[in-house]
Amino acid sequence: VLMPIMRIIFGGKRGQERREGEEARAAHWAECMQNLERFETELGQRKTAFFGGEDLPGYLDYMMWPWMERIEIFPLIFQDEPQLAYQSAKFPLLNTWMSKMKVDPAVEQYILDDETQAKFYRTVVSGSPNYDLLLNQ
């Protein structure tokens, strides 16, 4: 999940051919959605609310969360690329997991809405990251 998202944002990876543009982003997104199928399957096999168990999130839950928090922002960043939309119908267990993660106290106090996330990542994609974005809000 992480690497395809990083390739979408930063346009490729070090040491390999740099792939950018709409077609490359679509390929990275398809890889991301394919990878998410593994996590959906894993939640189904565990039959728990979280990867770490039924009652509380564990290490994997917290490590995945920042990337899943951003999963719906890509059509907001690349506005003419609707193929980058999160396919929520394919991931009912992950959707439930995300809903539960959003109300976890450790997540809830730091969560950012999609538009704020997209606004920041537009600056990253432009090549001039605005790390002070939240200071002016």
Side-chain angles (χ1 to χ4, degrees):
V1 175
L2 168 62
M3 286 314 298
I5 289 175
M6 295 295 286
R7 290 182 203 125
I8 291 169
I9 295 168
F10 297 108
K13 64 182 187 179
R14 267 184 214 177
Q16 294 188 357
E17 177 185 345
R18 188 169 170 87
R19 294 175 53 198
E20 297 183 54
E22 186 173 342
E23 188 176 310
R25 284 190 292 274
H28 297 316
W29 189 251
E31 181 184 355
C32 180
M33 292 298 103
Q34 185 177 22
N35 292 343
L36 284 180
E37 290 174 11
R38 294 180 185 131
F39 290 100
E40 180 76 9
T41 299
E42 184 67 27
L43 274 175
Q45 290 173 346
R46 289 178 186 230
K47 294 180 173 48
T48 58
F50 301 101
F51 291 98
E54 184 58 38
D55 299 323
L56 295 170
Y59 182 80
L60 178 58
D61 297 287
Y62 289 122
M63 293 300 101
M64 279 185 60
W65 175 250
W67 303 104
M68 295 305 292
E69 177 184 13
R70 299 171 178 97
I71 201 75
E72 297 191 49
I73 68 170
F74 296 98
L76 299 174
I77 299 168
F78 303 99
Q79 295 176 352
D80 295 328
E81 299 179 40
Q83 70 274 21
L84 300 181
Y86 172 62
Q87 301 161 9
S88 62
K90 289 178 63 175
F91 306 107
L93 298 175
L94 280 171
N95 297 336
T96 300
W97 173 83
M98 286 190 288
S99 294
K100 291 177 187 259
M101 287 297 292
K102 286 178 182 178
V103 296
D104 178 72
V107 169
E108 189 175 38
Q109 64 183 330
Y110 295 105
I111 198 167
L112 295 173
D113 63 88
D114 289 347
E115 187 52 49
T116 301
Q117 293 273 6
K119 191 173 181 180
F120 171 71
Y121 278 101
R122 280 187 213 112
T123 71
V124 172
V125 168
S126 76
S128 299
N130 181 0
Y131 297 114
D132 296 329
L133 181 76
L134 295 177
L135 292 178
N136 300 321
Q137 291 187 340

